[in-house]
Structure formats: C-alpha cells, structure tokens
C-alpha cells in the first residue's frame, strides 16, 4: 500500500550507501516481437538464515509506483510490461536486494534477505514494520516472532509463547500452574486460539507451565487484544493467531536440542526442490528426575509426562497458488502421588489453499478437523475412578480479498461443527467398586459470514470497518429439562424432561460490527479508537478458581445463552529516533452479557442438567496499558505497566441464583497492577544476556472471616466472594545465551535461572486447624517456591549454510 512503500523508501534513503549491494540479473522468456501488454511476476521473500517468510517487504519498480508489499506468507505479485526493469526489494530490518529483471513471460522470482543487525539479535518485540504500532489502524495488536521469543528468560530454559505474551501489557494469568492467558480482563476461554487459522481447544503442557506449541516449528504469534478483524469470531475477548513454519524448499537440515525439561528434534527439507517441502518437529518431556529431587514424598511419587509433534507439508502448485497441510498432536499425563491425576490429548489437522488470481485479487480456503480428549482420575481405594470427556469438531472457511493502493476489501464464510463426547465415569482398576456411568453431550453448528474494509482515507487517516453475522444451532439428540415458571432453575423446581431427536433444539444469532480509526498527529505519532461486538457460543466450565487443561467445553443450550461482549479502546502511540523507541498509552473498556459463573460446591461433571449448577450475569473490565520500549541497539527491552480491573455480578431476582447478594465482585483473575521489565544486552562477539522482573497484585480469594465449634466440628464462616487477596507476586529471571560454541555451522548454549530470588509466591491460601486449638489458620501454598536453574544445548545440521 502507498503509505507502507513511501515510509520504506524515505527510511532507506539515508542508509542507501551503507546497504547498497550489487544487482542480481534475471531473464525470463524471449522477445517474440508480439508480446502481451503485461506479464505477472510473483514469488516469495524469506530470511537468508532461517528461510522464514518476511511480511512487509516493499517492491519498487523504477519509473513506476506499485504500492505493493509482501503478505504475511512472504508472497508478492506485480504486473510488468515486457522488457527490462530494475526492481528493489526493501525492508527496514533487512539489507535491500536490487535486481534487474528482463521479462517476456509470466515468472516466479524467490529471493532471500539478510539481517542488518549483529550476529546475535537482542530482544526486539515489534511488528515487521517498525512503525506499525503508529500506522496500523487496528488497536491492541501484538506480534512476536520465534526468534524474539527465544531471547526472553523462560521456565526451565524453554521458550514459551504464553509466558512471553504475559510479559507484555494487557496479558496475564491467574497464577503459576494454571492454563491459558487472561487478556484485558477476559476469561481464558474468551480468547480465540488459532493455528494457521484452524481452531485449537487445548494449548497447554505441564498443567499450564508450558504451551503445547514448540517454538522450533512456529514462526510468528499475533495477538489481537482490542479490535478483532471481522474474519475472526467465536470468542468474546481476544484472538491469538499462531503461524507455523514452512519447511525449507532447497536443502535438508534440522536441529536437535536437549535441556533440563525436554528434548527436541526438528527436520525439514524439500521433497521436490523449490516446489514441495516437509517439516517435522517434536518434543518429549524430561522432568520426572526433577520431581525425584524433592524432599516431599508425595512429590517424589508424582509423575509428569508430555510430548508434542508437528508435521507440515507446503506445496507450490503453480506460481501464486499454494497448498499447506499440517497436523499438531499433543499429549500430557500428570499424577500427584496416589491421590489424583489428569490425562489429556489434542490433535488439530488442517489444509489451507491460497491463490493469487490477479494483481488485485487473492483467495484462501481452509478445512480443519480437531479432536480433544481429557480425563481425571482417583487411583486409590474402593472409589478409584476415571472420568473421560472431550470434543470433536470440523471447521471450514473461505475468504477473498481485493486490494489496490488505498483500499482492501475482504469477505468470506466460516462454519464449525461441534460434537461433544459422552462423559463416562468408569472404575480405575479391578479393585474399584465404582459402577460405569455415562451421559450424552451436546452437538451444535456455528456459522458466520463476514466482510471488512481497510481504507486509507489520506496519508494521515485510515479506517478498518467490518461486520460479522454469526448463527448457532444446538442439534439433537438431547434431553431438555423443564422447570417451573417464575422460579430459579434447580433440581427442586424441575417439572419434567423432553427427549429430542434430530433437528434444531435452540438457535441464536447476531450482528457483530467492528470499527477502528487511526489518525496521525505527526509522522511519528497517532491516536486510535475502536469498537467491536463479539458473540461466543462455546465456553469452558470448571469449579476450580483457575482454569485447568481438563475443563469441560460446554456448548450453548436452551438455558445457556451465548456470551456477548462490547469492547471500546482509545490509545496514543508514538515512535522516536527512527523507530528506535516506542511509547504507547492504550485504554480499554468492555461489558459482557450472559457470562457464566458457578454456584458454591457446583457439580460440573456427569451432570445431565448442568444448568442447575450455573449462574449467569454481566461482566465488566476496564483499564489502561502503558509501554516504553527500545527496539534497536546493543541494549533493548521494555517497561510495561498494566492497570486492569475485572468484575462480575449476577442478575437473577432469586437469591439461590445470586452470588454476593447480586453485588459486583472481582473476578478470579482480577489483578489491578502488573509491571514487567525486560532488558537484553548483546555480549560480543556471540553472547546475549537477558534479565526480567515481574510484579503483579495478588489475585482475589474467598477467606475465612471466623469459625465456631458445633457438635465437636469447626464450622468456618466465609467472606463475600473474592473479598480478600493473596500476597502480591514478584519474580526475577535471568538467562545467558551464546552461539557457535562448538560448531561453526550453528549451535547455542542457554543458561537460565527462573525465580532467581527463590521467592515463595503464593498460588493459593487455604485454612486448616492449628494444632489442638479450635481455630482455623491460613497457610500459603506455593507451586514454585525455589530457584529453577536450567541448561539447554541446541545444534543445527544440514541446511544451506556454509561450514
């Protein structure tokens, strides 16, 4: 687009003498004397070292104005007249490539670009265009690459997407050992998670300490915190789109890594050179030896195992036409001594076609299949049992985009069919007296149509406007229970039930408008505002204070209506010193209807009338995000502060369906203040030192206000819902990475210390009897109350690098 090319052109004028390289010469076809008026030149631009696609590369043809840049897959398409042209490929973080192209037929030109930076990059958490935070009309967009993520100190030395995102403003979690992330005060299940735009339901290893995405096979992570593009839907909060790597189409190579937590392997290369590539990667855990070092016998007797595998096939069918097929498989097993355990497995498979049909038109199509199974078990005693459940789903999506220099229009359709798996309780072993029990789960289909418009009104003003119309139908068979009118929904007011066969049982639909405006106050600063409405037809239910990997996915029914959220944001963004420094202030406000909470002591699993255990109400979240970031230089990093509040209240007139008497109370994940400081320093010639500090307000809890003795038993009296808080959270991490330790081809050694100060950060607070007294005393439960050092060694092999 015009603004992108102009910015790139002027940014590089000052650097042209330093970045000048010799021109590359290419000739396609022969001059027949009767050539058509134009030919199409297309191709892909990728990094020289990693072969990762580069988005935002500007293509400039001498003597003409193209306004063209590469898309997120690194591909481009330009029309040229017959003859010889000088074409420059420019990107702000790469050395420009200059070519001389003689063209007399449609042709494909794939190129690689080298980094301008030093041998070992610092932490540069930024979009592909350094001024994107100022120029992008959509608010609240955060983009990370795998290379940037690997430079952040991590738990057990394993680079992790969710832990990395939690260091940025507006992103947090309930606590260590919980699954998922909370974005701008939203519940974890209100965040849409996509892998190459395919839906993912489970994303965690090791009870939430690690994500299920191996950074060796991932390329970029884009988090939409504020205004979601119209092609994303189905959740009431945010969207995280994870793009996976394509295999190298020229040379076979790979990587092997071994650390204190797991082992990794990666293999990639061409099946047909320059045409079809394959990438395979996997991880397997290596953590049980750490549990054996604990002093506590129960921890020594515990087990934690996980693995994941990814395979991707990329096929360039023809110039401008690509097919990608991939599968992600994850598996986890956790058992705490002989007391309880979890087991969950996930698979997501998809096929995506992308085609360029002309200079202005492109299309994409996706089909995906997902399967999620989980279980929890009690392994000992006569009541030893295992409860299994899960979800199977199929997804289809089609979209088309038409674009010119100032305008881009996208439209499409999407549908997802959900099939809940039966919940089954069965005896865990032959000694158990538990009888097998089973209840059926719901089925449903979610369908939507969407359209969006991105328009550069002027050099200083741009808008993104769109709408999404979504529908949902719960499908039979199922059993619908009836309850007394003008009465709370409970077992006491149940009047009967009606078995329903095939067909629609409950239907919902709604419009989801989206709007975002950017206005540049100056070339270095802008203000942005946005509004969006979102519907959510599927949600996870759990009776624990924080999400777990085995939470139950519940579809909307006659009594469980879809959630609806309305989000607003307003922000100021500024860059300085040629985009070396960034500064932003971004405020947000969101209201949610039909949000789900749980009654005290709710029975969630194996409940055919789960609506009797749920309460519904409205939620609200508001706050501000402040960020100061240094992108370039020997020292890089950022300081992020988030002020965020999240509340809920029930709206039922019946006391049994009220929490806290119907008054507002903080959500489980309400943490008003959070500060993250990240510093990265290049240590010459091949070292990188990283340092991080994390502080957060303690999350809310229910507390025991007092207790009394009745019939020899101590009876506690609890506070209002979430009236108190656990102690504040504070953690310091460091890491040091050195490259080319033993191998000139490429290896690295990482030393990390997680929780450097050994702080016993509280996971929860519980009350128990204090000795022989009749009083209940609070005790702190810390999951990671010690220093966790780690060493990870990785080595590359094969590929196109020189020895």
């Amino acid at each position: 687009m015009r603004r992108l090319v102009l910015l790139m052109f002027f940014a590089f004028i000052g650097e042209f003498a330093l970045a000048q390289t010799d021109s590359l010469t290419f000739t396609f076809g022969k001059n027949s004397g009767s050539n058509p008026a134009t030919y199409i030149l297309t191709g892909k631009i990728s990094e020289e070292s990693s072969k990762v696609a580069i988005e935002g590369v500007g293509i400039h043809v001498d003597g003409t104005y193209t306004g063209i840049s590469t898309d997120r897959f690194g591909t481009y398409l330009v029309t040229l007249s017959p003859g010889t042209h000088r074409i420059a490929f420019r990107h702000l973080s790469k050395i420009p490539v200059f070519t001389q192209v003689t063209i007399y037929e449609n042709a494909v030109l794939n190129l690689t670009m080298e980094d301008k930076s030093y041998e070992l990059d610092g932490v540069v958490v930024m979009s592909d265009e350094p001024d994107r935070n100022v120029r992008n009309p959509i608010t609240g967009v955060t983009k990370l690459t795998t290379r940037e993520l690997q430079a952040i100190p991590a738990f057990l030395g394993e680079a992790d997407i969710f832990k990395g995102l939690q260091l940025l403003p507006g992103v947090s979690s309930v606590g260590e050992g919980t699954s998922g992330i909370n974005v701008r005060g939203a519940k974890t299940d209100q965040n849409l998670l996509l892998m190459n735009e395919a839906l993912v339901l489970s994303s965690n290893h090791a009870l939430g300490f690690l994500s299920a995405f191996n950074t060796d096979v991932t390329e970029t992570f884009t988090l939409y915190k504020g205004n979601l593009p119209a092609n994303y839907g189905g959740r009431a909060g945010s969207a995280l789109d994870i793009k996976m790597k394509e295999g190298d189409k020229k040379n076979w190579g790979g990587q092997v890594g071994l650390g204190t937590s797991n082992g990794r392997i990666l293999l990639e290369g061409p099946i047909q050179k320059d045409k079809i590539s394959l990438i395979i990667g996997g991880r397997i855990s290596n953590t049980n030896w750490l549990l054996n070092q604990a002093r506590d016998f129960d921890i020594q007797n515990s087990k934690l195992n996980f693995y994941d595998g990814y395979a991707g096939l990329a096929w360039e069918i023809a110039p401008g036409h690509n097919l990608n097929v991939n599968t992600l498989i994850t598996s986890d097993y956790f058992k705490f001594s002989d007391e309880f355990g979890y087991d969950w497995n996930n698979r997501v498979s998809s096929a995506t076609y992308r085609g360029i049909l002309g200079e202005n038109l492109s299309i994409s199509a996706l089909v995906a299949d997902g399967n999620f199974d989980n279980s929890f078990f009690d392994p000992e005693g006569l009541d030893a049992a295992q409860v299994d459940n899960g979800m199977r789903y199929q997804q289809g999506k089609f979209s088309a985009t038409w674009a010119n220099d100032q305008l881009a229009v996208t439209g499409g359709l999407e549908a997802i069919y959900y099939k809940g798996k039966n919940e089954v309780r069965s005896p865990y072993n032959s000694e158990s007296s538990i009888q097998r029990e089973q209840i059926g789960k719901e089925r449903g289909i979610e369908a939507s149509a969407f359209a969006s418009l991105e328009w550069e009104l002027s050099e200083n003003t741009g808008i993104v406007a769109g709408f999404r119309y979504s529908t949902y139908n719960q499908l039979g068979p199922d059993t619908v229970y009836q309850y007394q009118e003008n009465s709370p929904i409970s077992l006491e007011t149940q009047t009967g039930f009606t078995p329903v066969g095939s067909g629609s049982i409950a239907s919902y639909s709604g419009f989801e408008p989206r709007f975002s405006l950017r206005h540049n106050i100056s070339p270095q600063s802008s203000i942005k505002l946005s509004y969006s409405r979102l519907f959510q037809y599927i949600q996870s239910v759990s009776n624990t204070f924080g999400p777990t990997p085995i939470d139950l996915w519940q579809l909307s029914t006659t009594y469980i209506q879809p959630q609806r959220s309305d989000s607003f944001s307003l922000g100021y963004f500024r860059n300085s010193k040629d985009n070396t420094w960034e500064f932003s202030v971004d405020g947000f406000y969101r209201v949610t209807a039909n949000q789900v909470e749980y009654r005290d002591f709710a029975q969630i699993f194996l409940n055919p009338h789960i609506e009797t255990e749920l309460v519904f109400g409205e939620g609200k979240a508001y706050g501000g995000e402040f960020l100061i970031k240094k992108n370039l230089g020997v020292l890089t990093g950022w300081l992020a502060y988030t002020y965020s509040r999240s509340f809920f209240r029930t709206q039922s007139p019946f006391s049994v369906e009220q929490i806290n008497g119907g008054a507002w109370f903080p959500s489980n994940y309400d943490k008003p203040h959070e500060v993250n400081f990240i510093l990265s320093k290049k240590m010459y010639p091949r070292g990188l030192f990283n340092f991080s500090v994390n502080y957060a307000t303690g999350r809310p809890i229910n507390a025991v206000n007092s207790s009394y003795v009745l019939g020899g038993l101590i009876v506690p009296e609890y506070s209002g819902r979430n009236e108190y808080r656990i102690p504040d959270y504070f953690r310091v991490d460091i890491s040091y990475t050195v490259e080319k330790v033993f191998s000139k081809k490429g290896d690295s050694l990482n030393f990390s210390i997680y929780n450097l100060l050994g702080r016993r950060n509280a996971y929860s607070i519980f009350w128990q009897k204090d000795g022989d007294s009749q009083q209940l005393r609070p005790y702190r439960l810390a999951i990671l109350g010690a220093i966790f050092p780690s060493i990870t060694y990785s080595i590359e092999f094969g590929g196109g690098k020189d020895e």
Side-chain angles (χ1 to χ4, degrees):
M1 298 177 73
R2 179 180 299 170
R3 59 180 174 84
L4 182 60
V5 175
L6 288 175
L7 284 170
M8 288 183 172
F9 177 78
F10 288 115
F12 274 91
I13 284 294
E15 303 178 27
F16 182 82
L18 295 176
Q20 179 72 39
T21 60
D22 295 333
S23 295
L24 303 175
T25 302
F26 301 92
T27 301
F28 302 101
K30 295 181 180 180
N31 188 357
S32 64
S34 58
N35 299 292
T38 61
Y39 291 105
I40 293 176
L41 178 69
T42 186
K44 180 177 179 178
I45 310 299
S46 56
E47 291 186 353
E48 173 69 28
S49 58
S50 65
K51 308 305 179 185
V52 171
I54 308 174
E55 179 182 357
V57 176
I59 293 91
H60 176 75
V61 181
D62 277 7
T64 66
Y65 170 70
T66 64
I68 293 171
S69 60
T70 56
D71 61 17
R72 70 189 188 95
F73 303 102
T75 59
Y76 70 92
L77 183 148
V78 61
T79 56
L80 300 171
S81 60
T84 301
H85 304 271
R86 188 175 184 274
I87 305 176
F89 297 83
R90 294 187 174 97
H91 189 279
L92 286 174
S93 65
K94 309 295 179 184
I95 298 175
V97 176
F98 300 94
T99 64
Q100 181 174 297
V101 176
T102 301
I103 187 167
Y104 293 105
E105 64 183 14
N106 294 333
V108 176
L109 177 58
N110 297 321
L111 295 171
T112 60
M113 302 182 75
E114 297 181 8
D115 290 336
K116 286 184 183 177
S117 56
Y118 298 96
E119 183 174 30
L120 186 62
D121 287 342
V123 181
V124 185
V125 182
M126 56 195 298
S127 304
D128 287 337
E129 305 90 348
D131 66 340
R132 183 183 177 93
N133 65 306
V134 174
R135 301 292 305 182
N136 187 0
I138 299 179
T139 63
V141 180
T142 298
K143 189 170 185 178
L144 290 172
T145 66
T146 299
R147 189 172 188 176
E148 295 158 355
L149 190 66
Q150 289 173 339
I152 299 173
F155 177 62
L156 294 179
E158 181 69 13
D160 186 78
I161 174 176
F162 287 161
K163 300 302 181 187
L165 289 173
Q166 288 172 35
L167 299 176
L168 299 172
V171 186
S172 63
S173 70
V174 174
E176 292 173 334
T178 58
S179 302
I181 55 177
N182 301 104
V183 180
R184 291 188 169 182
K187 297 177 64 177
T188 56
D189 71 334
Q190 292 176 334
N191 303 316
L192 178 68
L193 180 60
L194 302 171
M195 181 191 73
N196 290 345
E197 297 199 33
L199 178 65
V200 180
L201 290 182
S202 176
S203 59
N204 291 278
H205 282 317
L207 296 174
F209 284 110
L210 296 172
S211 76
F213 291 94
N214 179 0
T215 55
D216 289 345
V217 293
T218 53
E219 186 170 321
T220 59
F221 320 99
T222 304
L223 176 65
Y224 296 90
K225 298 183 294 184
N227 188 292
L228 272 65
N231 58 311
Y232 295 130
R235 296 295 185 273
S238 66
L240 175 60
D241 188 6
I242 301 174
K243 181 185 174 187
M244 311 302 283
K245 286 178 59 177
E246 291 185 2
D248 192 328
K249 285 189 171 70
K250 293 186 178 297
N251 301 280
W252 280 97
Q255 183 177 359
V256 175
L258 181 63
T260 51
S261 64
N262 64 73
R264 312 188 316 271
I265 187 168
L266 170 71
L267 181 67
E268 61 176 326
I271 296 178
Q272 181 179 348
K273 196 166 186 177
D274 296 324
K275 199 75 172 177
I276 304 174
S277 69
L278 176 69
I279 183 170
I280 300 174
R283 292 186 298 179
I284 188 168
S285 64
N286 179 34
T287 57
N288 287 322
W289 71 272
L290 290 171
L291 300 179
N292 294 333
Q293 308 305 311
R295 297 180 180 179
D296 187 277
F297 174 78
D298 286 334
I299 297 179
Q300 291 181 12
N301 199 35
S302 299
K303 291 188 179 297
L304 175 61
N305 301 314
F306 67 82
Y307 69 84
D308 58 60
Y310 174 81
L313 186 73
W315 178 21
E316 185 179 356
I317 304 171
H321 297 269
N322 297 275
L323 178 67
N324 291 75
V325 180
N326 52 64
T327 294
L328 173 70
I329 298 175
T330 70
S331 179
D332 281 73
Y333 174 86
F334 171 73
K335 186 176 76 115
F336 181 75
S337 190
D338 294 325
E339 298 186 20
F340 65 89
Y342 302 131
D343 188 4
W344 66 98
N345 302 275
N346 187 47
R347 177 191 56 77
V348 181
S349 303
S350 67
T352 305
Y353 164 78
R354 298 186 305 274
I356 299 175
L357 304 185
E359 183 176 358
N360 302 105
L361 182 64
S362 63
I363 62 172
S364 67
L366 164 78
V367 291
D369 179 83
N371 186 75
F372 176 53
D373 293 300
N374 61 34
S375 66
F376 63 92
F377 53 86
D378 295 318
E380 292 294 323
L382 295 177
D383 294 332
Q386 177 170 315
V387 177
D388 301 288
N389 59 65
M391 179 73 70
R392 182 76 183 269
Y393 58 94
Q394 286 81 40
Q395 177 185 6
K397 187 174 184 178
F398 174 84
S399 64
T401 299
W402 182 92
N404 62 16
D405 294 351
Q406 293 182 315
L407 183 66
V409 180
T410 299
L413 302 169
E414 183 176 15
I416 305 175
Y417 171 69
Y418 300 99
K419 182 180 179 181
K421 296 189 175 184
N422 293 339
E423 284 188 78
V424 180
R425 183 174 68 171
S426 56
Y428 187 76
N429 52 42
S430 59
E431 299 176 358
S432 173
S433 61
I434 292 294
Q435 298 297 312
R436 192 177 189 276
E437 183 180 357
Q438 174 177 306
I439 66 167
K441 297 302 294 182
E442 297 81 14
R443 303 181 183 187
I445 185 167
E446 177 184 346
S448 58
F450 56 87
S452 65
L453 169 74
E454 183 174 353
W455 188 11
E456 285 294 303
L457 299 175
S458 68
E459 180 63 24
N460 294 323
T461 306
I463 64 170
V464 175
F467 76 89
R468 187 180 182 97
Y469 181 75
S470 60
T471 65
Y472 169 82
N473 282 276
Q474 182 196 354
L475 306 176
D478 196 14
T479 299
V480 179
Y481 292 86
Q482 286 86 42
Y483 303 90
Q484 296 175 10
E485 293 185 6
N486 301 318
S487 299
I489 297 176
S490 66
L491 294 178
E492 289 75 19
T493 63
Q494 194 175 104
T495 60
F497 61 88
T498 302
V500 180
S502 60
S504 177
I505 299 176
S507 299
Y508 301 99
S509 62
F511 280 100
E512 305 178 35
R514 322 276 175 89
F515 176 80
S516 187
L517 170 69
R518 180 217 81 232
H519 179 71
N520 278 68
I521 303 172
S522 70
Q524 294 81 33
S525 61
S526 66
I527 57 173
K528 305 178 189 180
L529 61 89
S530 68
Y531 163 76
S532 64
R533 168 167 285 190
L534 304 167
F535 282 94
Q536 179 169 334
Y537 302 101
I538 181 174
Q539 52 220 320
S540 65
V541 293
S542 170
N543 54 2
T544 61
F545 71 85
T548 67
I550 56 112
D551 288 348
L552 179 68
W553 283 100
Q554 173 66 49
L555 296 171
S556 294
T557 66
T558 302
Y559 302 104
I560 304 176
Q561 298 184 29
Q563 299 183 50
R564 185 192 72 238
S565 72
D566 293 274
S567 300
F568 306 83
S569 66
L570 174 65
Y572 171 76
F573 304 83
R574 180 176 177 81
N575 286 9
S576 63
K577 294 187 177 180
D578 294 328
N579 302 305
T580 297
W581 287 90
E582 290 184 20
F583 172 79
S584 65
V585 181
D586 202 3
F588 62 90
Y589 180 80
R590 182 178 64 252
V591 291
T592 307
N594 302 324
Q595 190 167 312
V596 177
E597 280 290 342
Y598 315 101
R599 302 186 186 188
D600 293 333
F601 311 108
Q603 176 60 45
I604 299 300
F605 297 99
L606 289 162
N607 190 339
H609 31 70
I610 194 173
E611 61 270 8
T612 62
E613 304 292 342
L614 308 177
V615 294
F616 305 91
E618 61 178 336
K620 65 178 180 181
Y622 58 86
E625 301 170 2
F626 306 87
L627 178 66
I628 300 174
K629 181 168 58 175
K630 186 173 185 289
N631 291 320
L632 303 173
V634 175
L635 277 173
T636 57
W638 69 90
L639 174 65
Y641 167 71
T642 303
Y643 174 75
S644 178
R645 301 306 311 271
S646 179
F647 297 92
F648 177 83
R649 71 175 177 186
T650 53
Q651 294 182 297
S652 173
F654 307 108
S655 60
V656 296
E657 293 182 329
Q658 294 178 350
I659 300 176
N660 224 42
W664 289 101
F665 63 89
S667 305
N668 293 338
Y669 41 88
D670 175 71
K671 298 194 290 186
H673 305 284
E674 188 154 5
V675 180
N676 295 301
F677 175 67
I678 308 297
L679 179 67
S680 180
K681 186 179 189 303
K682 298 170 185 175
M683 309 292 289
Y684 296 101
R686 298 183 300 274
L688 182 66
F689 173 77
N690 300 288
F691 173 80
S692 71
V693 179
N694 316 109
Y695 165 82
T697 306
R699 66 171 184 83
I701 59 168
N702 304 328
V704 176
N705 280 335
S706 62
S707 61
Y708 58 91
V709 179
L710 180 64
L713 299 176
I714 300 178
V715 180
E717 287 190 346
Y718 284 91
S719 66
R721 180 70 70 96
N722 289 344
E723 187 174 342
Y724 295 91
R725 292 183 181 273
I726 64 176
D728 292 350
Y729 183 92
F730 183 77
R731 194 186 78 242
V732 176
D733 307 325
I734 62 172
S735 72
Y736 184 80
T737 302
V738 59
E739 290 191 345
K740 297 185 178 180
V741 184
F742 305 110
S743 170
K744 292 182 179 180
K745 176 169 283 293
D747 66 345
S748 66
L749 188 62
N750 174 270
F751 303 88
S752 297
I753 300 179
Y754 186 89
N755 195 19
L756 176 67
L757 303 181
R759 182 178 169 89
R760 295 184 67 250
N761 287 300
Y763 174 75
S764 183
I765 302 293
F766 64 95
W767 278 258
Q768 68 179 25
K769 185 179 177 182
D770 184 13
D772 296 329
S773 72
Q774 300 299 310
Q775 299 296 322
L776 295 177
R777 177 182 174 184
Y779 289 85
R780 174 189 304 204
L781 173 62
I783 299 297
L784 298 178
I787 298 174
F788 280 83
S790 65
I791 301 176
T792 303
Y793 177 72
S794 300
I795 184 169
E796 299 178 6
F797 57 88
K801 297 181 179 180
D802 295 331
E803 294 288 350

